[in-house]
């Protein structure tokens, strides 16, 4: 297996040490239990906290900082973070206004965040992200999975918290943006697990997995590879059937790479998707292209659409200063 | 071949259309001939212009904007930009203080920039980037190749231009940072050319190409895969033998992914390299980790070290507002 790695045991630990050193102006990393926390705490603001398996970077650790997450709890590769991580992160990050947990809809993540929440003696609430419109349930989730929409929910809720919204207001806007967000991903082959050295799945030379999950979970079906215009049509059909936007609706269009697809291709996918959204009478008001919620070195990517209004546009555009998102 | 693509003919064109729409606040794309130019011109400032084959994104087009490039000329995949592109970009970007061309040391790029320069009737100068310390010459270059150090030279010179430095001052600081910068890359396999569908090279399951170029050109030698600590030692041995820093020297440490290596691994490589630089008596004053100068979907990455002083640190930290780099 060819990976930048010393040992399986220390892989995530060494990566977080690197992150801590590069972004010492933004965040600190605490070990045993492991969590990443903002360097400058925001007194009196709701602490927005997320977490889950590693291997999706920059999600979630790269989004810790002003205007987004107060803390993040990275698990081992593709493995939920544990309740003791969440507990320690929440206790350290809470600033008198409670904690809001943003949790991707996977069974392990939900269970561990719930366990931690029950043990905390200050106000906490949870927003569950289930933006993946491609499947109704999957091997690791009851109901739809969380996908690249997670970082959109984190950005919107983080901006609301920074602006002084209360815990219940943060939860409400989190649920609102989650309901207005849908994603569909396609992958061209499985990723190489740096722990096991095995590919997550095998697929034919001209086939793609349509509706794949962030861990290579099966999607809707295997289909032959299509030209990007035809592929974007099929992905947007699924997304828009879910969101049911009205003509003239403003949207955020986010193109997310899964880790091994070059940026030059992601802009080609953006171009195809943006063109079609306009043809369908929608207005692309905000956009984002890059590797934001990855699946290790998976080739492929996802389209996410969020229906925006004045409040959501303004929260999206509010200042953010994290390792992976800054404006 | 599984790629987000309609046709070979339109691939780069569609990607640039996507780039133009996503970053309409920063840049415009002109077609026939093709160049990317800052939206807000900087009157009376030197126009810093770069260019070369596509497939290295965000290099160069993602670095157009305030504090970095005035314009960039993207060629077809791994193919030099043409003199007419450079000519048109320079004529459009020049703001009364001349143009500085930052050119990676490849025969085609050098020739085409020289041809354009001879046809321009305002003051122009060239800085040639040859930071790749792994080989003395290669199939596409006489002398050392340009590599990830290119974006460091672009950032430093762009900051000097934004601060009002003259053409000769910009050229001098460009040559100075180039001389103080060295890179070494390793790749784990060839990339898939989106035009031909063929891998750029074949390599054994446990072998890596040590000292690879940005287009998959052969490096120093094929070696067995090493643990990241041992690999970083070998890469830094090559870099520091070239730079010959003194004890206590401040450096910029840049870890660059070639396009298909997950961020979680790049931070592991950073951690290994930073630790060793400190053990060798150097001070890591600035750092950067990410996919900055890629080679399509090549797995692997490079280490770049630049020797910094007060002037270079300050130019590095000066504000920048581009698609791919912003602070």
């Amino acid at each position: 297996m060819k990976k930048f790695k010393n040992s399986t045991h220390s892989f995530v630990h060494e990566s977080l040490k690197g992150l801590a050193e590069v972004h010492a102006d933004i965040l600190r990393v605490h070990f045993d239990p492991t969590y990443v926390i903002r360097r400058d705490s925001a007194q009196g603001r709701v602490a927005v906290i997320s977490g889950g398996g590693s291997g999706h970077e920059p999600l979630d650790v790269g989004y810790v900082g002003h205007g987004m997450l107060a803390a993040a709890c990275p698990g081992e590769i593709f493995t939920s973070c544990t309740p003791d991580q969440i507990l320690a992160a929440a206790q350290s990050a809470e600033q008198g206004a409670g904690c809001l947990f943003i949790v991707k809809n996977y069974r392990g993540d939900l269970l561990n965040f719930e366990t931690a929440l029950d043990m905390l003696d200050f106000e906490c609430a949870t927003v569950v992200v289930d933006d993946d419109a491609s499947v109704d349930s999957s091997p690791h989730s009851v109901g739809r999975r969380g996908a690249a929409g997670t970082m959109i929910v984190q950005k919107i809720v983080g901006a609301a918290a920074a602006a002084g919204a209360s815990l219940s207001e943060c939860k409400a806007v989190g649920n609102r943006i989650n309901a207005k967000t849908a994603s569909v991903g396609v992958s061209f082959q499985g990723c190489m697990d740096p722990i096991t050295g095995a590919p997550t799945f095998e697929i034919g030379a001209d086939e793609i997995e349509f509706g794949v999950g962030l861990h290579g979970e099966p999607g809707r079906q295997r289909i032959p590879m299509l030209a990007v215009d035809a592929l974007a049509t099929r992905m947007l059909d699924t997304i828009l059937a879910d969101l049911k936007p009205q003509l003239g609706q403003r949207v955020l269009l986010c193109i997310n790479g899964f880790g091994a697809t070059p940026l030059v291709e992601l802009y080609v996918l953006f171009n195809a998707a943006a063109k079609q959204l306009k043809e369908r009478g929608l207005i692309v008001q905000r956009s984002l292209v890059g590797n934001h919620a990855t699946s290790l070195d998976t080739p492929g990517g996802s389209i996410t659409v969020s229906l925006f209004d004045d409040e959501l546009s303004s929260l999206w555009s509010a200042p953010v200063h994290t390792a992976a998102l800054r404006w």
Side-chain angles (χ1 to χ4, degrees), chain A:
Chain A
M1 180 178 18
K2 295 185 272 191
K3 291 274 163 199
F4 291 123
K5 173 181 146 180
N6 283 312
S7 80
T8 296
H9 166 73
S10 62
F11 182 71
V12 171
H13 183 93
E14 289 175 41
S15 183
L16 291 170
K17 281 175 69 180
L19 178 85
E21 182 165 345
V22 174
H23 301 289
D25 56 325
I26 297 175
L27 54 81
R28 288 183 298 112
V29 180
H30 184 276
F31 291 106
D32 303 316
T34 301
Y35 59 87
V36 178
I37 187 163
R38 275 180 65 172
R39 195 183 172 92
D40 60 323
S41 55
Q43 280 295 327
R45 300 295 192 233
V46 171
V48 183
I49 297 178
S50 211
S54 293
H56 305 299
E57 291 73 15
L59 195 73
D60 301 292
V61 295
Y63 298 128
V64 171
H66 174 70
M68 213 158 163
L69 299 180
C73 304
E76 288 298 314
I77 295 292
F78 290 177
T79 303
S80 298
C81 50
T82 55
D84 66 316
Q85 289 180 265
I86 302 163
L87 204 59
Q91 282 164 340
S92 179
E94 207 270 341
Q95 297 293 326
C99 281
L100 186 74
F101 297 131
I102 297 179
V103 186
K104 293 176 278 287
N105 189 30
Y106 292 98
R107 275 196 297 267
D109 290 8
L110 280 178
L111 179 67
N112 291 345
F113 271 96
E114 251 171 56
T115 304
L117 190 148
D118 288 343
M119 298 169 75
L120 287 165
D121 56 5
F122 45 77
E123 251 200 316
C124 296
T126 300
V127 168
V128 178
V129 183
D130 61 353
D131 57 307
D132 191 337
S134 53
V135 293
D136 290 330
S137 66
S138 90
H140 304 298
S141 72
V142 176
R144 293 156 48 133
R145 303 169 294 211
T150 308
M151 67 83 65
I152 297 171
V153 177
Q154 291 169 345
K155 172 67 184 83
I156 294 290
V157 176
S166 68
L167 185 60
S168 63
E169 289 165 341
C170 285
K171 183 180 161 107
V173 79
N175 285 331
R176 199 158 79 78
I177 180 66
N178 178 58
K180 288 174 178 289
T181 298
S183 302
V184 168
V186 294
S187 98
F188 304 157
Q189 64 184 59
C191 60
M192 178 67 73
D193 186 321
I195 306 305
T196 65
T200 47
F201 65 85
E202 303 280 1
I203 191 164
D206 293 313
E207 273 185 327
I208 64 171
E209 184 73 40
F210 185 89
V212 72
L214 270 191
H215 313 86
E217 306 97 300
R220 285 195 174 191
Q221 61 181 135
R222 295 207 168 174
I223 60 171
M225 183 65 194
L226 300 169
V228 68
D229 278 346
L231 189 56
T233 298
R234 196 150 172 167
M235 294 167 83
L236 287 174
D237 282 348
T238 306
I239 288 170
L240 298 180
D242 182 63
L243 292 176
K244 301 182 181 61
Q246 301 197 309
L247 281 183
Q249 169 71 51
R250 290 171 287 161
V251 303
L252 163 70
L253 171 59
C254 176
I255 301 297
N256 174 55
F258 283 153
T261 284
L263 196 52
V264 66
E265 278 184 62
L266 297 180
Y267 280 112
V268 171
L269 178 59
F270 175 87
N271 184 58
K275 192 175 56 182
Q276 291 187 33
L277 287 174
K278 286 175 224 165
E279 283 166 8
R280 296 178 196 213
L282 305 179
I283 296 161
V284 179
Q285 190 190 34
R286 297 280 187 278
S287 52
L288 190 71
V289 175
N291 292 315
H292 299 111
T294 63
S295 187
L296 291 169
D297 49 9
T298 299
S302 56
I303 300 178
T304 301
V305 175
S306 294
L307 309 185
F308 265 19
D309 53 26
D310 286 347
E311 184 196 15
L312 294 173
S313 300
S314 148
L315 290 170
W316 178 258
S317 297
V320 60
H321 188 162
T322 67
L325 207 64
R326 193 188 296 203
W327 56 65

